Amino acid sequence: MGAGAAGLSLARRLTRPQESSNATPSLILVEPPAGSSVRSASRTWCFWDDDPGEYDDLVTASWRHMRITNRDGSSTTAALPRAYKMIRSADFLQHIGTELRDRTEVRSLEATVTAVRDVPGGAEVSGVDAAGRSVRLTGRWVFDSRPPRELPAARTALLQHFRGWFVTTQAERFDPAVADLMDFRTGQPDRGLSFVYTLPISTRQALVEYTEFSAAPLSEAAYDSALDHYVRRVRPLGPFVATAVEQGVIPMTDGFFPRQVGRRVFRIGVAGGATRPSTGYAFAAIQRQSAAAARALHAGRTPLPTMPHTARHRLMDAVMLRALATGRVGGAAFFEELFRRNPAERVVRFLDGASSLRDEWAIGLSTPVMPMLRSLAELPLLPRRKATKCS
């Protein structure tokens, strides 16, 4: 259920030829009807990856250097241990969707799912198709990648919300080899963090995106005002046109996203906890999760999706979110110190979920120790409160 990044990634892996005696399973991809309000808007997915990578044919741009710009305008540029890559969701959905349509084991159905329940030997999905007719499907396993309607109960819940412009400038304003991951020369919220990142596609084209970690999204006018100030005053681009816009909201929460909600019903992707609580990154975790589920199913095991992030990372993320939400640490100062006191490759390994205990110990010592320890100590005492509906 859901033909987005998680649903298509899993379907693609399930239908690949396997070195296994088990036959390739047949599957049905169920997605909302075209034009439905529950379909996700187009956006970009960024992730660290090896070269060559699995999806290189779909990559819009990639970078081997990153730049961090502090509030005072000083900046640090560093080589990346792995390439930072960007895929536009429309390209991914079209390419993988076309690939799957050529597979005889795959059927696609446009319908709005209304209920899922266990039945003997499998699970049943009920819904309504685009013509208003009832739909009922039965399968041995069901994987649900629909965005959750509500966030799980949590001790801390912030939102990462953003709006970005794809710009084309008259003059050459960008270095295509360098991704500006964080520029903190923005107005900072009282409790949270804001920054602009700029991902060049060419010397004259880039995605310029304003991002904020805080309790509530802004209006479109407020986002556009922040972006306009940035491209005209903070980092003047000269004459330019905005050719496309993307906007979204990502939950940043220490709530628990269940991966199994029935005997044969599993959640994957954002619904299965793939979003990294402290960063909002999800694409690489989705690939790990879908690969593990496909391996298990092909081996004849229960295809329970793996935990996308380690217990250590989830704990560190919970502490950081608590420190930001309480205002004990300033978000911009926190990240400035993190990058100033650690090699870039160490911070990237942490953001990518590939850090070692040694990395994490060093990172922990480079953060404001007392506020972070206080946030850690109070976590077991905090109740998990029901969050508002997921935007």
Side-chain angles (χ1 to χ4, degrees), residues 23-290:
T24 300
S26 62
L27 60 92
I28 300 177
L29 275 170
V30 184
E31 60 179 328
S36 170
S37 61
V38 297
R39 281 203 177 190
S40 298
S42 296
R43 61 186 57 181
T44 55
W45 298 321
C46 293
F47 56 101
W48 283 275
D49 193 20
D50 295 324
D51 282 328
E54 179 179 5
Y55 295 112
D56 280 357
D57 290 345
L58 304 178
V59 169
T60 300
S62 65
W63 306 270
R64 293 308 301 251
H65 292 81
M66 70 172 188
R67 180 162 48 225
I68 304 297
T69 301
N70 299 326
R71 289 165 294 173
D72 63 5
S74 62
S75 64
T76 301
T77 302
L80 291 168
R82 304 173 75 201
Y84 191 59
K85 301 180 181 180
M86 178 176 73
I87 290 178
R88 299 186 74 166
S89 63
D91 295 336
F92 182 91
L93 301 183
Q94 180 179 5
H95 181 89
I96 305 302
T98 300
E99 180 182 317
L100 291 172
R101 280 195 292 272
D102 293 334
R103 304 288 303 186
T104 58
E105 306 93 337
V106 181
R107 290 169 52 202
S108 294
L109 174 67
E110 288 193 350
T112 301
V113 174
T114 57
V116 185
R117 67 186 185 99
D118 286 311
V119 296
E124 182 182 84
V125 175
S126 302
V128 180
D129 69 11
R133 296 170 298 203
S134 296
V135 172
R136 184 169 295 173
L137 306 168
T138 302
R140 190 158 52 103
W141 307 103
V142 170
F143 297 92
D144 188 353
S145 69
R146 295 173 300 163
R149 292 183 179 180
E150 293 185 345
L151 295 177
R155 295 165 297 199
T156 309
L158 294 175
L159 297 175
Q160 178 182 155
H161 46 101
F162 55 87
R163 183 172 171 87
W165 295 343
F166 285 89
V167 301
T168 300
T169 60
Q170 285 188 11
E172 294 185 346
R173 298 293 185 183
F174 308 111
D175 181 351
V178 180
D180 282 278
L181 286 191
M182 289 181 167
D183 186 337
F184 297 113
R185 292 175 295 174
T186 54
Q188 297 297 320
D190 291 337
R191 298 187 178 188
L193 166 71
S194 74
F195 57 89
V196 168
Y197 67 80
T198 301
L199 302 180
I201 300 170
S202 70
T203 57
R204 290 188 172 90
Q205 294 178 302
L207 169 61
V208 182
E209 192 147 294
Y210 175 84
T211 300
E212 186 169 302
F213 299 178
S214 62
L218 307 178
S219 66
E220 285 189 9
Y223 290 119
D224 285 340
S225 176
L227 282 166
D228 188 74
H229 176 76
Y230 183 80
V231 299
R232 298 188 189 281
R233 299 293 184 88
V234 179
R235 183 179 178 175
L237 298 183
F240 72 91
V241 293
T243 58
V245 176
E246 71 168 22
Q247 184 170 332
V249 179
I250 300 171
M252 304 180 71
T253 169
D254 65 355
F256 176 73
F257 290 80
R259 293 166 294 139
Q260 185 167 8
V261 292
R263 291 194 308 272
R264 292 175 177 265
V265 182
F266 308 104
R267 287 181 177 161
I268 56 174
V270 173
T275 304
R276 180 74 186 272
S278 64
T279 64
Y281 287 117
F283 188 80
I286 285 171
Q287 303 312 310
R288 294 193 297 267
Q289 194 179 61
S290 60

